[in-house]
Amino acid sequence: ESRPKQLLVYINPYGGKRQGKRIYEQKVAPLFSLASISTDVVITEHANHAKDNLYEVNINKYDGVVCVGGDGMFSEVMHGLIGRMQKDSGIDQNNPKAPLVQCNIRIGIIPAGSTDCVCYSTVGISDPVTSALHIIVGDCQPLDVSSVHHNNTFLKYSVSLLGYGFYGDILKDSEKKRWMGPMRYDYSGFKTFLSHHYYEGTISFQPAKHTLGSPRDKESCRTGCYICKKSGQQLEEQHKGCGLKREEDEEEWKVIKGKFLAINAVNMSCACPRSPKGLSPAAHLADGSADLILVRKCSRFDFLRYLVRHMNQDDQFDFSFVDVYRVKSFQFTSKHSEDNESSVMDIGKKRFGQFCRDHPACCCHIANSTWNCDGETLDCSAIEVRVHCQLMKLFARGIEEDRKDEAAYRRSSIEHLL
């Protein structure tokens, strides 16, 4: 991939750290200037400003789009860019089976949010200068994107976490407590852990037989990953011979019914400073699959043991109540009404409904959770998800094998610029 000459930059001044404009002007803009990169800067004024703007601009005059902010800002730019590509190609995003057109315009992420999961999982560090240098030298990292549909209606794209149950409940509760700042996630997490809700439902999925490796591998996805390269080659062959597409519908679906504390589907490790290995340490950035993690109903103590494993080096899938599958698509339907529920419980629910909603740790059972889609809530519990292999590209190179390489890379890149 070539080095960019002209970039479109979106800055979210209201992001988590509220430092986006300052970070860009002080740390990033001088480097772009040194590298003779011209920029058009848009300061976003409201939600979906960047997304709407991407549908209108002359996108072909840019070599890349840069977003300065957190995961929410990246998601907005990604939705705008993918949506624009599909619109220009006459593809209906509401059709869950539609083969989407790849985005050849790369996205750069300058981290300035309260969570910078996508940046951390694709670069290995959440640092504006490092990200700026990846953009300047023209690095390229393909990325899988999942499309989420409900009843043939497009809902969202996801690149990191789709979580139902535990992570969905945390997000829903934390949205009401924005005044607390980033602390709200700890508070809502503790509250959700104590409530210990499980949800009944049916999950059906297509195993990702096309990709090498498994979620239990000890090897992580790193720069120049062989498994992702292999998937990229398969994708090229698939574009040449359309006959391969028909096999998809004929492939087997596995069906699992149960009571779940959490259902998580991740396209990447979802690593962050608190959880250095992430939700699925061996997940790949660009192999056309997602890791589907099912945490069945278990005791509070067992669930705590599972959560603690995200912070240490132990195998977090090594529990009898945890199943993990590498999938290329899946569907989920919740079971709305509990079996054997007496009419007395129904009367109790109606009378104490408000109390139960405010104090969900009581005995009443809530039938549905909410899906957490890359940090945003989805209203529908029944969804259909499909992974699109290498749908977009980032100005990144994956995580280096050794973090020392990153420091050396930064030094040599700055010297090269000067």
Side-chain angles (χ1 to χ4, degrees):
E1 292 282 342
S2 58
R3 290 175 60 163
K5 293 180 180 66
Q6 186 152 12
L7 295 170
L8 176 57
V9 180
Y10 291 102
I11 300 172
N12 177 5
Y14 311 110
K17 294 173 187 153
R18 294 188 176 269
Q19 300 285 317
K21 198 164 178 286
R22 185 191 63 80
I23 287 170
Y24 178 76
E25 287 171 355
Q26 293 182 9
K27 297 186 176 182
V28 179
L31 292 173
F32 285 172
S33 180
L34 269 173
S36 303
I37 295 172
S38 61
T39 55
D40 288 342
V41 178
V42 178
I43 310 283
T44 61
E45 293 166 8
H46 51 80
N48 292 323
H49 185 161
K51 181 186 165 189
D52 296 343
N53 189 253
L54 277 163
Y55 273 84
E56 295 162 10
V57 296
N58 176 10
I59 203 78
N60 299 318
K61 73 175 197 178
Y62 299 107
D63 304 308
V65 180
V66 175
C67 58
V68 183
D71 291 334
M73 187 61 186
F74 167 75
S75 178
E76 200 179 304
V77 167
M78 172 186 74
H79 277 83
L81 206 50
I82 295 175
R84 172 69 183 269
M85 291 289 174
Q86 310 320 308
K87 183 186 165 213
D88 290 354
S89 306
I91 285 169
D92 179 14
Q93 289 184 98
N94 285 321
N95 177 2
K97 290 192 166 64
L100 301 181
V101 172
Q102 279 181 296
C103 295
N104 292 318
I105 296 171
R106 287 166 286 176
I107 299 179
I109 308 170
I110 303 295
S114 50
T115 56
D116 298 304
C117 168
V118 179
C119 184
Y120 195 91
S121 296
T122 53
V123 177
I125 187 171
S126 162
D127 170 64
V129 175
T130 302
S131 292
L133 294 172
H134 279 295
I135 295 166
I136 288 162
V137 299
D139 279 332
C140 184
Q141 170 64 55
L143 196 64
D144 293 339
V145 180
S146 290
S147 59
V148 186
H149 286 79
H150 169 76
N151 282 351
N152 289 329
T153 304
F154 169 72
L155 298 179
K156 275 269 193 299
Y157 291 115
S158 166
V159 291
S160 52
L161 165 72
L162 262 171
Y164 185 82
F166 185 66
Y167 289 104
D169 292 352
I170 288 175
L171 183 66
K172 193 173 182 182
D173 189 73
S174 71
E175 285 294 296
K176 303 170 201 160
K177 299 174 178 64
R178 285 190 161 271
W179 54 271
M180 289 177 78
M183 234 181 73
R184 67 184 185 271
Y185 298 116
D186 293 331
Y187 174 81
S188 294
F190 184 62
K191 186 178 164 186
T192 304
F193 171 76
L194 288 180
S195 68
H196 200 63
H197 278 308
Y198 66 85
Y199 300 93
E200 264 191 275
T202 304
I203 193 137
S204 42
F205 61 89
Q206 283 184 303
K209 290 179 179 172
H210 69 280
T211 182
L212 304 162
S214 96
R216 303 293 293 271
D217 289 342
K218 295 288 172 269
E219 292 296 309
S220 302
C221 185
R222 291 289 179 260
T223 303
C225 173
Y226 169 73
I227 288 174
C228 293
K229 270 186 183 163
K230 198 84 179 149
S231 292
Q233 288 163 4
Q234 284 181 343
L235 190 66
E236 279 175 32
E237 286 164 23
Q238 202 165 330
H239 285 315
K240 285 172 196 165
C242 295
L244 285 164
K245 282 178 191 165
R246 290 197 196 107
E247 289 176 21
E248 198 175 282
D249 299 328
E250 293 165 21
E251 274 186 41
E252 59 173 312
W253 284 77
K254 288 196 172 178
V255 181
I256 294 172
K257 292 187 177 195
K259 296 173 181 176
F260 305 101
L261 283 168
I263 296 169
N264 298 323
V266 296
N267 286 37
M268 53 177 65
S269 67
C270 290
C272 65
R274 275 192 180 184
S275 175
K277 289 196 307 168
L279 284 174
S280 186
H284 287 270
L285 295 173
D287 70 341
S289 76
D291 287 353
L292 180 64
I293 307 156
L294 307 178
V295 184
R296 295 173 183 274
K297 186 185 172 190
C298 62
S299 70
R300 246 192 212 93
F301 177 68
D302 276 344
F303 189 51
L304 181 63
R305 285 169 62 216
Y306 165 70
L307 293 176
V308 167
R309 290 259 175 115
H310 292 80
M311 298 175 210
N312 59 32
Q313 294 301 307
D314 297 333
D315 180 357
Q316 59 212 46
F317 303 130
D318 190 22
F319 291 106
S320 58
F321 54 88
V322 178
D323 297 314
V324 61
Y325 306 93
R326 190 151 279 175
V327 305
K328 62 181 184 181
S329 58
F330 74 90
Q331 294 175 2
F332 174 76
T333 334
S334 70
K335 186 171 182 292
H336 287 286
S337 54
E338 292 294 307
D339 293 338
N340 311 320
E341 197 167 68
S342 68
S343 55
V344 176
M345 273 295 279
D346 285 342
I347 295 161
K349 268 188 181 178
K350 280 169 193 164
R351 189 167 295 167
F352 303 116
Q354 186 57 47
F355 177 82
C356 296
R357 277 195 292 278
D358 294 342
H359 304 85
C362 74
C363 61
C364 300
H365 189 78
I366 298 163
N368 282 344
S369 175
T370 308
W371 281 98
N372 174 342
C373 176
D374 291 2
E376 289 182 40
T377 54
L378 296 181
D379 295 331
C380 308
S381 58
I383 61 168
E384 189 177 340
V385 179
R386 186 170 160 218
V387 184
H388 300 268
C389 185
Q390 303 188 7
L391 187 63
M392 54 173 296
K393 295 173 179 174
L394 295 181
F395 283 107
R397 56 166 65 174
I399 295 175
E400 304 277 359
E401 202 55 64
D402 186 350
R403 291 290 165 82
K404 287 174 193 161
D405 294 350
E406 195 63 65
Y409 164 70
R410 276 183 63 170
R411 271 200 308 274
S412 66
S413 298
I414 291 170
E415 283 161 13
H416 180 65
L417 274 176
L418 299 168

